[in-house]
């Protein structure tokens, strides 16, 4: 089954404790992206990757890091989480940004205390 | 960069009525406009998209229209059903950056039976 898998789905952590949200897709997609969803703000892009070893900032990259060492994986790293990073995070992939739909993961709800 | 505004933020309709959600975009070079539906607690999923060389596209009860001159596009849902209740996001490609989709803030659609 074609899917984008994120882990963990739910996480409560404390300020400053590094965490990683993993994202994996099994569709051989070149394009992957991270979004955060906040009420009234829609989906805002954090980082995206056009292919292995190619990543770039989206609209709200501050406080986040990513890496793309393998085509299927695109982890999101919060080196020192802060309460303003409390949000619902979605990973997504597609063949290319303008060549088809974005397939979203199920989302990861992160709470930073 | 691209800016997308979406209206209304909430919309309540009676089952069987039509619903219209409107989006405006700022970058006249944008050429790809998808719509995503997000049911409660679920991931966003593509329901329809349109490219700038097309003025209208239909898929059963949903349709999207594009007015390039006015830089706005709309989602039309006819004969609404309770399962249409969801959050709907419009998006537009950001041609300045080439690899981004900019999303609107979302519309909560409630279909009352």
């Amino acid at each position: 089954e074609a899917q984008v898998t994120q882990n963990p789905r739910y996480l409560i952590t404390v300020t400053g404790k590094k965490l990683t949200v993993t994202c994996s897709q099994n569709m051989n997609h070149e394009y992957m992206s991270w979004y955060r969803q906040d009420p009234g703000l829609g989906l805002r892009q954090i980082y995206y990757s056009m292919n292995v070893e190619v990543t770039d900032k989206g609209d709200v990259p501050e406080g986040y890091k990513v890496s793309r060492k393998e085509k299927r994986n695109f982890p999101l790293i919060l080196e020192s989480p802060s309460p303003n990073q409390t949000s619902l995070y979605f990973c997504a992939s597609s063949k290319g940004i303008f060549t088809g739909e974005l397939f979203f993961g199920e989302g990861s709800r992160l709470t930073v205390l | 960069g691209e800016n997308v505004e979406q209206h209304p933020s909430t919309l309540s309709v009676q089952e069987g009525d039509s619903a219209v959600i409107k989006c405006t975009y700022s970058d006249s070079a944008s050429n790809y406009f998808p719509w995503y539906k997000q049911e409660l607690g679920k991931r966003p999923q593509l329901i329809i998209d349109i490219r700038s060389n097309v003025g209208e596209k239909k898929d059963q009860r949903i349709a999207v229209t594009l007015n390039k001159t006015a830089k706005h596009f709309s989602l039309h849902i006819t004969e609404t059903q309770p399962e249409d209740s969801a959050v709907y996001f419009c998006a537009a490609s950001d041609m300045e950056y080439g690899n981004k989709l900019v999303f609107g803030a979302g519309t909560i659609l409630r279909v009352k039976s």
Side-chain angles (χ1 to χ4, degrees):
Chain A
E1 180 190 354
Q3 58 186 3
V4 179
T5 304
Q6 295 177 227
N7 280 295
R9 296 285 316 284
Y10 302 91
L11 180 63
I12 301 174
T13 190
V14 295
T15 299
K17 186 175 182 182
K18 181 180 178 179
L19 68 93
T20 299
V21 186
T22 63
C23 175
S24 181
Q25 51 93 3
N26 64 359
M27 294 169 279
N28 201 35
H29 285 166
E30 293 188 346
Y31 182 91
M32 297 187 75
S33 183
W34 276 102
Y35 295 86
R36 60 178 289 174
Q37 182 176 7
D38 302 289
L41 296 176
L43 293 156
R44 293 181 294 166
Q45 190 176 49
I46 304 170
Y47 270 94
Y48 66 92
S49 171
M50 295 297 292
N51 213 326
V52 176
E53 301 293 359
V54 180
T55 63
D56 209 346
K57 297 177 181 178
D59 293 317
V60 288
E62 293 77 22
Y64 305 95
K65 286 175 59 176
V66 293
S67 67
R68 186 93 181 272
K69 293 183 169 57
E70 304 166 285
K71 196 171 188 178
R72 64 183 293 130
N73 296 324
F74 191 45
L76 179 69
I77 303 158
L78 285 74
E79 293 271 2
S80 183
S82 61
N84 64 12
Q85 292 179 297
T86 292
S87 187
L88 177 60
Y89 292 88
F90 285 100
C91 180
S93 74
S94 78
K95 291 180 186 177
I97 189 61
F98 302 129
T99 60
E101 73 178 279
L102 271 174
F103 290 86
F104 285 85
E106 292 184 315
S108 296
R109 185 166 293 281
L110 171 65
T111 301
V112 183
L113 301 175
Chain B
E2 177 66 275
N3 182 52
V4 177
E5 294 190 356
Q6 183 170 346
H7 299 280
S9 56
T10 60
L11 178 60
S12 290
V13 299
Q14 204 65 37
E15 182 178 358
D17 288 349
S18 295
V20 180
I21 302 170
K22 299 180 180 179
C23 288
T24 59
Y25 60 98
S26 60
D27 186 356
S28 57
S30 290
N31 63 3
Y32 176 62
F33 308 93
W35 286 88
Y36 284 80
K37 174 184 180 183
Q38 184 181 28
E39 296 177 356
L40 188 63
K42 302 284 182 66
R43 73 192 84 189
Q45 291 187 295
L46 180 72
I47 55 171
I48 196 167
D49 58 13
I50 192 168
R51 298 186 184 272
S52 58
N53 58 347
V54 176
E56 182 176 2
K57 185 176 178 181
K58 282 186 177 181
D59 183 3
Q60 299 183 338
R61 293 186 299 106
I62 61 173
V64 57
T65 58
L66 172 64
N67 184 326
K68 288 171 57 180
T69 302
K71 289 190 284 187
H72 68 70
F73 56 112
S74 300
L75 178 71
H76 304 254
I77 305 174
T78 58
E79 300 173 18
T80 53
Q81 300 167 4
E83 52 264 39
D84 294 328
S85 295
V87 180
Y88 291 82
F89 293 100
C90 63
S93 56
D94 188 322
M95 298 311 293
E96 179 179 354
Y97 291 96
N99 298 303
K100 290 176 57 178
L101 273 178
V102 179
F103 286 85
T107 296
I108 300 171
L109 173 64
R110 296 190 183 93
V111 180
K112 297 174 286 186
S113 56

